[in-house]
Structures are given as structure tokens and as C-alpha cells.
Amino acid sequence: MDFGMKNRLSNIINPKTGKTVMLAVDHGYFQGPTTGLKDLRKTVTPLLPLTDCLFITRGMLRTSIDPRSATPICLRVSGGPSVLGELSNEDITTSIEEAIRLNASGVGMSIFVGSKNEDRTISNLGRLVNEAERYGIPVLAITAVGREMVRDARYLSLACRIAAEIGAHFVKTYYCEDFYKIAEGCPVPIVMAGGKKIPERDALQMTFNAIKEGASGVDMGRNIFQSDNPVGMVKAIRAIVHKGASVDEAFEIYSKNKLSSQVVTE
Ligand code: R5P
């Protein structure tokens, strides 16, 4: 691995802890104005200093993020279909040149293993890796789960391993029972996506389990920005990911932060 690649990866994954807390706010690229992200700037601005890396599309980066922010960017570079269409019908939408212009530390795209267009999304990943490596830019492969797929360790292990074999430098996948089996079969770092909003304590428990079972962090969206206390949730997640906090300790961080923000706003 050359200097540029290592340097950018260490912008994303903290070399001191070997972990990362990424904030995913790319949902609009196929879902439109997702709950919590209608005013993306308002939602994200207070979370940016607490985030190791922001996962976002170029359109929202250009329009809604202060370019003076020091938070590293991982750019979502795939898209195509909307939530109303065939989700696996994705292609690369954003060039490496654009990623460099936007000073991205990494680029990310989805693969749809087992879905209608799995082969095209996997070969697109290969092409993206070829191009990104020319400039020392790490590639995040996201194992998108088609409506017809089951989110279990067997399926997600298959998808993560394929992503790594094709050359992804890190992989994002969902949590499931026996998550450790996914981590065991995947030679590159795995970050956990949060999935649909669940109660805060459950999201913290899921984070704790994923880290214990081999994840290198999270790239979480809805369980942070749809929380009643997004700042408290990021702080709590950071405590688990970077400091090895227990679920009780993390939940206390979330709850205390909620109380103090209520005191300030009331
Ligand atoms: C899918 O829309 C994206 O890849 C998200 O970045 C990913 O699912 C993480 O967001 P969440 O934690 O809301 O699932």
C-alpha cells in the first residue's frame, strides 16, 4: 500500500484505536428527503466534530457542508435507481476526478450480491478499485441487501468476502446473528451499518456486539440522525467504538447528554 492510500485510510480509520465512527447521510441518493435529513446541513453540523468521517453524496457535500470543516469525507459514488425502481440497477455516478476535487479521503459504492444486476455492480466495484488505486484512494464496498435477500451471516459473509476479493479496502455491512463469522471470512476492515431506527439502547447493544465480534467501527445513519438526541448517540457510540465502553456506560452518556440538552433548550 502506498503512502497516499495509507494516509487517506488513516483519515477514516483512527490509527490509534484501529476503529472509526462514520456518519452515513447518503440515504437521499435513492430515498429522497429521508426523515432527519430534510435539512441535512442543520442535522449534520453539530455532529461533524464528533464524527471520524462523513459518508455523503457529492450533491449534498457541495450544498450542505461547510468546506472549512476538518471532518474527512467518504464520497458515495454509485446510484441510478430510486426507491421506486430496481435497486440493483446501480452504476458509478461520480468520477474519481470529482472525488479528488472534493478532497475525499475515500469513495464508496454498493454491490447487490444475489440481486438482478449483481454481476454489473461487482464488476463496477472492480473498475472503481482499479481507478481509485491509481490515485491512492481507498474504496468502501457496501453490501446492499435486495428485498428478496435474507440478512444472515451466510449471505453477508458471501457479500463481504466477494467485496474484499474484488479489491475493496474496507466493507460496510449490516449486523446479524453470528456476525463474527462475517468478520472471520473478510480480510479487510468491516464497518457496521445501523439499518432502520431502533430504540437507542438496542442500537448501542448492536454496536457493542459488532465491535466485540470483529467490526472496525460503524458507518451509521438513521440510528443517529433519527434519534431524539443525535449528539448524545454519537458520543455514546464513540465511547463503545473507541474506548471499549459497556452498553450501560454508553447509554448513560446518551441519557445524560439528553438531559443537559433539555436543560439548555428549555
Ligand atoms: C444506504 O442507504 C447507505 O449505504 C447507508 O449509508 C447505510 O445503510 C448506513 O445507514 P443506516 O445506518 O441508516 O442504515
Side-chain angles (χ1 to χ4, degrees), residues 151-154 156-158 160-161 173-188 190 192 206-216:
R151 277 186 203 193
D152 60 13
R154 193 157 171 245
L156 294 175
S157 296
L158 171 76
C160 287
R161 179 58 175 259
T173 198
Y174 292 94
Y175 185 74
C176 67
E177 200 178 319
D178 294 335
F179 185 88
Y180 72 93
K181 289 184 182 165
I182 308 174
E184 273 175 6
C186 181
V188 296
I190 300 180
M192 182 197 75
M206 182 169 73
T207 304
F208 180 86
N209 294 350
I211 297 296
K212 196 177 72 186
E213 293 180 60
S216 297

Short mmCIF file of all heavy atoms in Angstrom, two decimals, residues 151-154 156-158 160-161 173-188 190 192 206-216:
data_model
loop_
_atom_site.label_atom_id
_atom_site.label_comp_id
_atom_site.label_asym_id
_atom_site.label_seq_id
_atom_site.Cartn_x
_atom_site.Cartn_y
_atom_site.Cartn_z
N ARG A 151 -30.90 -11.21 5.54
CA ARG A 151 -29.70 -10.62 6.18
C ARG A 151 -29.13 -11.56 7.22
O ARG A 151 -29.26 -11.33 8.41
CB ARG A 151 -30.09 -9.34 6.90
CG ARG A 151 -30.16 -8.16 6.01
CD ARG A 151 -30.41 -6.95 6.86
NE ARG A 151 -31.01 -5.94 6.03
CZ ARG A 151 -31.14 -4.69 6.38
NH1 ARG A 151 -30.75 -4.29 7.57
NH2 ARG A 151 -31.69 -3.83 5.56
N ASP A 152 -28.55 -12.68 6.81
CA ASP A 152 -27.95 -13.57 7.81
C ASP A 152 -26.44 -13.69 7.54
O ASP A 152 -25.93 -13.19 6.55
CB ASP A 152 -28.65 -14.94 7.84
CG ASP A 152 -28.57 -15.66 6.50
OD1 ASP A 152 -27.77 -15.24 5.62
OD2 ASP A 152 -29.29 -16.65 6.32
N ALA A 153 -25.76 -14.38 8.47
CA ALA A 153 -24.29 -14.43 8.39
C ALA A 153 -23.83 -15.13 7.11
O ALA A 153 -22.80 -14.75 6.54
CB ALA A 153 -23.74 -15.14 9.62
N ARG A 154 -24.61 -16.09 6.65
CA ARG A 154 -24.22 -16.82 5.44
C ARG A 154 -24.21 -15.88 4.23
O ARG A 154 -23.24 -15.81 3.48
CB ARG A 154 -25.21 -17.97 5.23
CG ARG A 154 -24.77 -18.96 4.23
CD ARG A 154 -25.45 -20.30 4.47
NE ARG A 154 -25.16 -21.18 3.35
CZ ARG A 154 -26.08 -21.62 2.51
NH1 ARG A 154 -27.34 -21.31 2.67
NH2 ARG A 154 -25.73 -22.42 1.52
N LEU A 156 -24.33 -12.44 4.25
CA LEU A 156 -23.46 -11.27 4.40
C LEU A 156 -21.97 -11.66 4.32
O LEU A 156 -21.16 -10.88 3.83
CB LEU A 156 -23.78 -10.51 5.69
CG LEU A 156 -25.19 -9.87 5.71
CD1 LEU A 156 -25.49 -9.25 7.08
CD2 LEU A 156 -25.37 -8.83 4.62
N SER A 157 -21.63 -12.88 4.76
CA SER A 157 -20.25 -13.35 4.60
C SER A 157 -19.89 -13.47 3.13
O SER A 157 -18.79 -13.09 2.70
CB SER A 157 -20.05 -14.75 5.19
OG SER A 157 -20.25 -14.74 6.55
N LEU A 158 -20.83 -14.01 2.38
CA LEU A 158 -20.62 -14.15 0.92
C LEU A 158 -20.38 -12.77 0.30
O LEU A 158 -19.41 -12.56 -0.43
CB LEU A 158 -21.88 -14.81 0.32
CG LEU A 158 -21.98 -14.85 -1.21
CD1 LEU A 158 -21.07 -15.93 -1.77
CD2 LEU A 158 -23.42 -15.13 -1.65
N CYS A 160 -19.54 -9.84 1.73
CA CYS A 160 -18.34 -9.13 2.22
C CYS A 160 -17.08 -9.76 1.62
O CYS A 160 -16.15 -9.05 1.23
CB CYS A 160 -18.25 -9.18 3.74
SG CYS A 160 -19.47 -8.12 4.53
N ARG A 161 -17.05 -11.08 1.54
CA ARG A 161 -15.86 -11.73 1.01
C ARG A 161 -15.67 -11.39 -0.47
O ARG A 161 -14.55 -11.13 -0.94
CB ARG A 161 -15.97 -13.24 1.22
CG ARG A 161 -14.80 -14.03 0.68
CD ARG A 161 -13.47 -13.56 1.32
NE ARG A 161 -12.39 -14.41 0.87
CZ ARG A 161 -11.88 -15.39 1.61
NH1 ARG A 161 -12.30 -15.60 2.84
NH2 ARG A 161 -10.93 -16.15 1.14
N THR A 173 -21.34 -3.46 6.12
CA THR A 173 -22.41 -4.43 6.08
C THR A 173 -23.30 -4.28 7.31
O THR A 173 -23.02 -3.48 8.19
CB THR A 173 -21.84 -5.87 5.96
OG1 THR A 173 -22.88 -6.73 5.50
CG2 THR A 173 -21.31 -6.41 7.29
N TYR A 174 -24.37 -5.05 7.34
CA TYR A 174 -25.33 -4.97 8.45
C TYR A 174 -24.94 -5.94 9.56
O TYR A 174 -24.23 -6.92 9.33
CB TYR A 174 -26.74 -5.27 7.95
CG TYR A 174 -27.24 -4.19 7.03
CD1 TYR A 174 -27.10 -4.31 5.64
CD2 TYR A 174 -27.81 -3.03 7.53
CE1 TYR A 174 -27.52 -3.29 4.79
CE2 TYR A 174 -28.24 -2.02 6.69
CZ TYR A 174 -28.09 -2.16 5.33
OH TYR A 174 -28.50 -1.16 4.50
N TYR A 175 -25.48 -5.65 10.74
CA TYR A 175 -25.27 -6.59 11.85
C TYR A 175 -26.26 -7.74 11.70
O TYR A 175 -27.37 -7.57 11.22
CB TYR A 175 -25.48 -5.89 13.21
CG TYR A 175 -25.14 -6.82 14.34
CD1 TYR A 175 -23.81 -7.13 14.63
CD2 TYR A 175 -26.14 -7.47 15.07
CE1 TYR A 175 -23.48 -8.03 15.61
CE2 TYR A 175 -25.82 -8.37 16.06
CZ TYR A 175 -24.49 -8.66 16.33
OH TYR A 175 -24.16 -9.56 17.30
N CYS A 176 -25.85 -8.93 12.12
CA CYS A 176 -26.77 -10.06 12.18
C CYS A 176 -26.22 -11.03 13.23
O CYS A 176 -25.09 -10.86 13.70
CB CYS A 176 -26.89 -10.75 10.82
SG CYS A 176 -25.36 -11.55 10.33
N GLU A 177 -27.03 -12.02 13.55
CA GLU A 177 -26.58 -13.04 14.49
C GLU A 177 -25.32 -13.72 13.92
O GLU A 177 -25.23 -13.91 12.70
CB GLU A 177 -27.70 -14.08 14.66
CG GLU A 177 -27.56 -14.89 15.91
CD GLU A 177 -28.72 -15.87 16.05
OE1 GLU A 177 -29.87 -15.47 15.74
OE2 GLU A 177 -28.46 -17.01 16.43
N ASP A 178 -24.37 -14.08 14.78
CA ASP A 178 -23.11 -14.70 14.34
C ASP A 178 -22.29 -13.77 13.43
O ASP A 178 -21.63 -14.22 12.48
CB ASP A 178 -23.35 -16.03 13.62
CG ASP A 178 -23.92 -17.09 14.55
OD1 ASP A 178 -23.69 -16.98 15.78
OD2 ASP A 178 -24.60 -18.01 14.05
N PHE A 179 -22.32 -12.50 13.75
CA PHE A 179 -21.57 -11.50 12.97
C PHE A 179 -20.09 -11.88 12.88
O PHE A 179 -19.42 -11.60 11.88
CB PHE A 179 -21.75 -10.13 13.64
CG PHE A 179 -21.14 -8.98 12.88
CD1 PHE A 179 -21.86 -8.31 11.90
CD2 PHE A 179 -19.85 -8.54 13.17
CE1 PHE A 179 -21.29 -7.24 11.20
CE2 PHE A 179 -19.28 -7.48 12.48
CZ PHE A 179 -20.01 -6.83 11.49
N TYR A 180 -19.58 -12.51 13.93
CA TYR A 180 -18.15 -12.86 13.95
C TYR A 180 -17.76 -13.72 12.74
O TYR A 180 -16.63 -13.69 12.27
CB TYR A 180 -17.78 -13.56 15.27
CG TYR A 180 -18.31 -14.97 15.39
CD1 TYR A 180 -17.54 -16.06 15.00
CD2 TYR A 180 -19.60 -15.22 15.87
CE1 TYR A 180 -18.04 -17.35 15.06
CE2 TYR A 180 -20.10 -16.50 15.94
CZ TYR A 180 -19.32 -17.57 15.55
OH TYR A 180 -19.82 -18.84 15.61
N LYS A 181 -18.73 -14.50 12.23
CA LYS A 181 -18.42 -15.35 11.07
C LYS A 181 -18.14 -14.48 9.84
O LYS A 181 -17.31 -14.83 9.00
CB LYS A 181 -19.61 -16.27 10.76
CG LYS A 181 -19.79 -17.37 11.79
CD LYS A 181 -20.90 -18.31 11.40
CE LYS A 181 -21.09 -19.38 12.46
NZ LYS A 181 -22.35 -20.10 12.33
N ILE A 182 -18.83 -13.35 9.75
CA ILE A 182 -18.59 -12.43 8.62
C ILE A 182 -17.17 -11.87 8.75
O ILE A 182 -16.40 -11.84 7.79
CB ILE A 182 -19.61 -11.27 8.61
CG1 ILE A 182 -21.05 -11.79 8.67
CG2 ILE A 182 -19.41 -10.39 7.39
CD1 ILE A 182 -22.10 -10.70 8.80
N ALA A 183 -16.85 -11.42 9.99
CA ALA A 183 -15.54 -10.81 10.23
C ALA A 183 -14.42 -11.84 9.97
O ALA A 183 -13.38 -11.50 9.39
CB ALA A 183 -15.47 -10.27 11.65
N GLU A 184 -14.65 -13.07 10.37
CA GLU A 184 -13.62 -14.11 10.19
C GLU A 184 -13.27 -14.34 8.72
O GLU A 184 -12.14 -14.62 8.37
CB GLU A 184 -14.13 -15.44 10.76
CG GLU A 184 -13.85 -15.60 12.24
CD GLU A 184 -14.48 -16.87 12.83
OE1 GLU A 184 -15.06 -17.70 12.07
OE2 GLU A 184 -14.41 -17.01 14.05
N GLY A 185 -14.29 -14.20 7.86
CA GLY A 185 -14.07 -14.51 6.44
C GLY A 185 -13.70 -13.29 5.60
O GLY A 185 -13.60 -13.39 4.39
N CYS A 186 -13.54 -12.13 6.26
CA CYS A 186 -13.31 -10.91 5.49
C CYS A 186 -11.96 -10.30 5.91
O CYS A 186 -11.81 -9.87 7.04
CB CYS A 186 -14.46 -9.92 5.75
SG CYS A 186 -14.26 -8.40 4.82
N PRO A 187 -10.98 -10.26 5.00
CA PRO A 187 -9.64 -9.83 5.38
C PRO A 187 -9.45 -8.32 5.47
O PRO A 187 -8.38 -7.86 5.84
CB PRO A 187 -8.77 -10.40 4.24
CG PRO A 187 -9.70 -10.43 3.06
CD PRO A 187 -11.07 -10.70 3.59
N VAL A 188 -10.48 -7.54 5.14
CA VAL A 188 -10.35 -6.07 5.23
C VAL A 188 -11.30 -5.58 6.33
O VAL A 188 -12.23 -6.28 6.72
CB VAL A 188 -10.65 -5.38 3.88
CG1 VAL A 188 -9.62 -5.77 2.83
CG2 VAL A 188 -12.06 -5.66 3.39
N ILE A 190 -14.25 -4.12 8.51
CA ILE A 190 -15.70 -4.05 8.29
C ILE A 190 -16.28 -2.95 9.18
O ILE A 190 -15.99 -2.89 10.38
CB ILE A 190 -16.40 -5.37 8.68
CG1 ILE A 190 -15.84 -6.53 7.84
CG2 ILE A 190 -17.91 -5.27 8.51
CD1 ILE A 190 -16.48 -7.87 8.17
N MET A 192 -20.02 -1.33 10.45
CA MET A 192 -21.41 -1.78 10.52
C MET A 192 -22.37 -0.65 10.17
O MET A 192 -22.29 0.44 10.74
CB MET A 192 -21.71 -2.26 11.95
CG MET A 192 -23.12 -2.78 12.12
SD MET A 192 -23.62 -2.88 13.86
CE MET A 192 -23.91 -1.17 14.26
N MET A 206 -26.27 -3.29 19.75
CA MET A 206 -25.86 -3.82 18.44
C MET A 206 -24.43 -3.37 18.11
O MET A 206 -23.60 -4.16 17.63
CB MET A 206 -26.85 -3.33 17.38
CG MET A 206 -26.59 -3.82 15.99
SD MET A 206 -27.97 -3.43 14.89
CE MET A 206 -27.77 -1.67 14.69
N THR A 207 -24.14 -2.11 18.40
CA THR A 207 -22.79 -1.57 18.16
C THR A 207 -21.78 -2.33 19.01
O THR A 207 -20.72 -2.76 18.52
CB THR A 207 -22.75 -0.06 18.52
OG1 THR A 207 -23.76 0.60 17.76
CG2 THR A 207 -21.39 0.55 18.23
N PHE A 208 -22.11 -2.51 20.28
CA PHE A 208 -21.21 -3.22 21.20
C PHE A 208 -20.93 -4.63 20.68
O PHE A 208 -19.78 -5.08 20.62
CB PHE A 208 -21.86 -3.27 22.60
CG PHE A 208 -21.02 -3.97 23.61
CD1 PHE A 208 -20.04 -3.28 24.32
CD2 PHE A 208 -21.19 -5.33 23.86
CE1 PHE A 208 -19.25 -3.93 25.26
CE2 PHE A 208 -20.40 -5.99 24.79
CZ PHE A 208 -19.43 -5.29 25.50
N ASN A 209 -21.99 -5.32 20.28
CA ASN A 209 -21.83 -6.70 19.79
C ASN A 209 -20.96 -6.74 18.53
O ASN A 209 -20.08 -7.60 18.40
CB ASN A 209 -23.19 -7.32 19.45
CG ASN A 209 -24.06 -7.51 20.67
OD1 ASN A 209 -23.61 -7.37 21.80
ND2 ASN A 209 -25.35 -7.80 20.46
N ALA A 210 -21.21 -5.80 17.63
CA ALA A 210 -20.45 -5.79 16.36
C ALA A 210 -18.96 -5.58 16.64
O ALA A 210 -18.11 -6.26 16.06
CB ALA A 210 -20.99 -4.71 15.43
N ILE A 211 -18.65 -4.64 17.54
CA ILE A 211 -17.24 -4.37 17.85
C ILE A 211 -16.62 -5.62 18.50
O ILE A 211 -15.52 -6.04 18.14
CB ILE A 211 -17.11 -3.13 18.77
CG1 ILE A 211 -17.62 -1.87 18.06
CG2 ILE A 211 -15.66 -2.95 19.26
CD1 ILE A 211 -16.86 -1.46 16.83
N LYS A 212 -17.36 -6.19 19.45
CA LYS A 212 -16.85 -7.39 20.14
C LYS A 212 -16.60 -8.53 19.14
O LYS A 212 -15.66 -9.30 19.28
CB LYS A 212 -17.88 -7.83 21.19
CG LYS A 212 -17.33 -8.79 22.23
CD LYS A 212 -18.35 -9.14 23.28
CE LYS A 212 -19.42 -10.04 22.68
NZ LYS A 212 -20.54 -10.33 23.55
N GLU A 213 -17.43 -8.57 18.12
CA GLU A 213 -17.33 -9.69 17.15
C GLU A 213 -16.44 -9.36 15.95
O GLU A 213 -16.45 -10.09 14.96
CB GLU A 213 -18.73 -10.09 16.69
CG GLU A 213 -19.56 -10.69 17.82
CD GLU A 213 -20.96 -11.10 17.37
OE1 GLU A 213 -21.07 -11.93 16.46
OE2 GLU A 213 -21.93 -10.55 17.92
N GLY A 214 -15.71 -8.24 16.01
CA GLY A 214 -14.70 -8.01 14.97
C GLY A 214 -14.89 -6.83 14.05
O GLY A 214 -14.08 -6.63 13.13
N ALA A 215 -15.94 -6.02 14.24
CA ALA A 215 -16.11 -4.84 13.38
C ALA A 215 -15.05 -3.80 13.73
O ALA A 215 -14.61 -3.70 14.88
CB ALA A 215 -17.50 -4.25 13.54
N SER A 216 -14.67 -3.01 12.72
CA SER A 216 -13.70 -1.93 12.95
C SER A 216 -14.41 -0.59 13.18
O SER A 216 -13.77 0.45 13.10
CB SER A 216 -12.77 -1.81 11.75
OG SER A 216 -12.04 -2.99 11.61
#
